[in-house]
Amino acid sequence: MKSKLRIGNGYDVHLLAPGLRLVLGGIELSHTKGCVAHSDGDVVIHALCDALLGALSLGDIGHHFPDTAPEFKGIDSKILLERSYKLVLEKGYKLVNADITILLQRPKMAPYIEEMRKSLAQTLSKVDIRYSCDIEDISIKATTTEGAGFVGREEGVAVYAVVLTEKICE
Ligand code: MG
């Protein structure tokens, strides 16, 4: 790979259903609905994994962690994030920063944003201490869709993630 900098983009959607856990950005939120999923349904982490994999042309999360595989049933998505970032490091690149946008009608995300940023930064830092990630490197924003579409009807949650990675100079 010639370029010192590489950008990646990720997008994921999960449906919401009553009585399930709502896990976003590595933390559990208090809500009446949660994501329908094979894993813990952490749609924030899934979009971030796809962005990281995309930056290095490594395919997508479904390719590396198929939702048909029993080993990934109910899995903590933080493990998927660690494994995705490990693949990035193995390619000789590290994360510069990530910018994530959550589309969700309810609950209000503001009280959870800092904890999510911290959780993601900690998870990424665990992979290799030499390339630890600061909370300032992880941006999380949230918006409703003003009631429009599947997000507005509280049928689902969508997440966009963009990352920048840079070649590790040894
Ligand atoms: Mg997903």
Side-chain angles (χ1 to χ4, degrees):
M1 290 181 170
K2 295 184 200 115
S3 179
K4 193 173 181 297
L5 297 173
R6 294 185 63 96
I7 194 168
N9 152 68
Y11 175 69
D12 195 24
V13 169
H14 277 267
L15 295 177
L16 291 167
L20 298 176
R21 294 166 69 215
L22 181 61
V23 181
L24 295 175
I27 66 166
E28 188 160 345
L29 284 67
S30 173
H31 192 45
T32 54
K33 289 179 171 182
C35 286
V36 179
H38 183 69
S39 65
D40 65 2
D42 194 327
V43 56
V44 172
I45 287 187
H46 297 173
L48 180 57
C49 287
D50 260 353
L52 286 166
L53 295 169
L56 280 303
S57 304
L58 286 166
D60 62 32
I61 190 173
H63 169 76
H64 292 278
F65 316 111
D67 64 7
T68 48
E71 64 171 305
F72 301 124
K73 179 136 182 59
I75 196 170
D76 181 339
S77 292
K78 291 197 283 295
I79 295 168
L80 305 182
L81 180 57
E82 285 175 31
R83 292 205 203 169
S84 299
Y85 192 39
K86 191 162 181 282
L87 293 169
V88 169
L89 294 175
E90 282 169 1
K91 277 272 177 186
Y93 284 75
K94 63 180 180 182
L95 179 68
V96 177
N97 70 303
D99 187 19
I100 297 166
T101 304
I102 304 170
L103 281 70
L104 182 66
Q105 193 63 35
R106 274 192 328 129
K108 283 258 170 282
M109 288 288 98
Y112 301 107
I113 298 271
E114 290 307 299
E115 205 185 331
M116 286 192 274
R117 292 174 67 206
K118 199 170 150 194
S119 167
L120 296 179
Q122 277 175 351
T123 303
L124 290 161
S125 295
K126 263 208 277 181
V127 180
D128 190 326
I129 194 68
R130 289 173 297 172
Y131 312 115
S132 66
C133 177
D134 295 331
I135 188 169
E136 289 79 16
D137 301 328
I138 309 291
S139 157
I140 300 182
K141 314 187 296 293
T143 183
T144 70
T145 58
E146 304 277 344
F150 71 90
V151 169
R153 291 190 298 272
E154 299 181 41
E155 293 167 0
V157 49
V159 177
Y160 295 95
V162 176
V163 300
L164 186 68
T165 63
E166 84 178 320
K167 204 174 240 176
I168 296 165
C169 301
E170 309 263 12

